[in-house]
Amino acid sequence: MTTLSAPGLLLRPFRASDAPAFTEAVLESLALLQPWMPWSHAGYSEADALEWFRFTHAGREAGTHHEFGVFSEDGGRFLGGAGLSQFHPTHRNCNLGYWVRQSAQRQAVASRCVKVLADYAFSTLHMHRVEISAAVGNAASAAVARKAGAVWECVARNKLWLHGRAVDADVFSVVG
């Protein structure tokens, strides 16, 4: 089981025992998550978290994505989630996504995740390009990408599907 570390952080696959903390973090952060993360909702439950965990484990086994829970360095506090997905093995690129619970924001958690996950994509998964797509208007996510050293490339029209409609996205990249 792959475990990654960044300064002050531990990234590891989700465990069933993480469901209460994951659910608490989602509910704490709804106002910030809902505009950009359609999976978040007021009735989010531990059953929803466990379903997501099963999906992430199946994806890791199939090689379609590598999702991680983000924790304090000692593993004691759940801070958010981050992962790599949308692998294109022919062109050796993938997508990187992240979210951080409201009470842990503005502490460079997400930018540290971007750095460690990009390094993992290059060194272990043999990618040459990592993309971050942030819906236009998601200033916090775009700021994280910039802070982590990703380069803004363009606004891609209809790049993401949010709340039943296509939306434009700022596309950033990190290259190895």
Side-chain angles (χ1 to χ4, degrees), residues 5-105:
S5 60
L9 301 177
L10 171 69
L11 284 74
R12 64 162 171 77
F14 294 105
R15 300 176 185 149
S17 60
D18 298 327
F22 188 97
T23 303
E24 175 189 298
V26 169
L27 295 174
E28 165 193 310
S29 309
L30 276 179
L32 300 173
L33 289 174
Q34 283 184 314
W36 318 115
M37 307 279 187
W39 54 265
S40 65
H41 57 88
Y44 198 88
S45 67
E46 289 182 28
D48 293 321
L50 290 169
E51 183 177 325
W52 169 245
F53 298 172
R54 283 189 292 276
F55 176 79
T56 66
H57 292 299
R60 184 178 305 276
E61 287 178 24
T64 58
H65 53 265
H66 292 257
E67 300 289 339
F68 296 89
V70 180
F71 298 85
S72 57
E73 190 170 29
D74 64 2
R77 182 166 188 246
F78 178 76
L79 303 174
L84 300 164
S85 63
Q86 301 175 23
F87 295 110
H88 299 285
T90 301
H91 300 293
R92 295 182 183 233
N93 64 64
C94 64
N95 183 71
L96 192 156
Y98 43 83
W99 72 276
V100 175
R101 71 184 305 157
Q102 185 170 349
S103 60
Q105 290 189 355

Side-chain angles (χ1 to χ4, degrees), residues 67-156:
E67 300 289 339
F68 296 89
V70 180
F71 298 85
S72 57
E73 190 170 29
D74 64 2
R77 182 166 188 246
F78 178 76
L79 303 174
L84 300 164
S85 63
Q86 301 175 23
F87 295 110
H88 299 285
T90 301
H91 300 293
R92 295 182 183 233
N93 64 64
C94 64
N95 183 71
L96 192 156
Y98 43 83
W99 72 276
V100 175
R101 71 184 305 157
Q102 185 170 349
S103 60
Q105 290 189 355
R106 303 181 96 43
Q107 298 171 31
V109 172
S111 60
R112 287 181 278 163
C113 288
V114 169
K115 291 176 183 176
V116 72
L117 285 172
D119 288 345
Y120 178 70
F122 301 138
S123 66
T124 302
L125 303 177
H126 310 292
M127 297 288 131
H128 292 281
R129 175 184 172 85
V130 174
E131 284 188 3
I132 299 169
S133 297
V136 169
N138 187 345
S141 189
V144 165
R146 286 185 179 96
K147 183 175 182 176
V151 174
W152 180 86
E153 293 187 345
C154 67
V155 172

Side-chain angles (χ1 to χ4, degrees), residues 152-175:
W152 180 86
E153 293 187 345
C154 67
V155 172
R157 297 179 305 148
N158 290 349
K159 172 83 171 160
L160 302 173
W161 190 260
L162 294 178
H163 306 293
R165 65 184 182 90
V167 300
D168 298 347
D170 286 300
V171 177
F172 299 84
S173 70
V174 180
V175 295

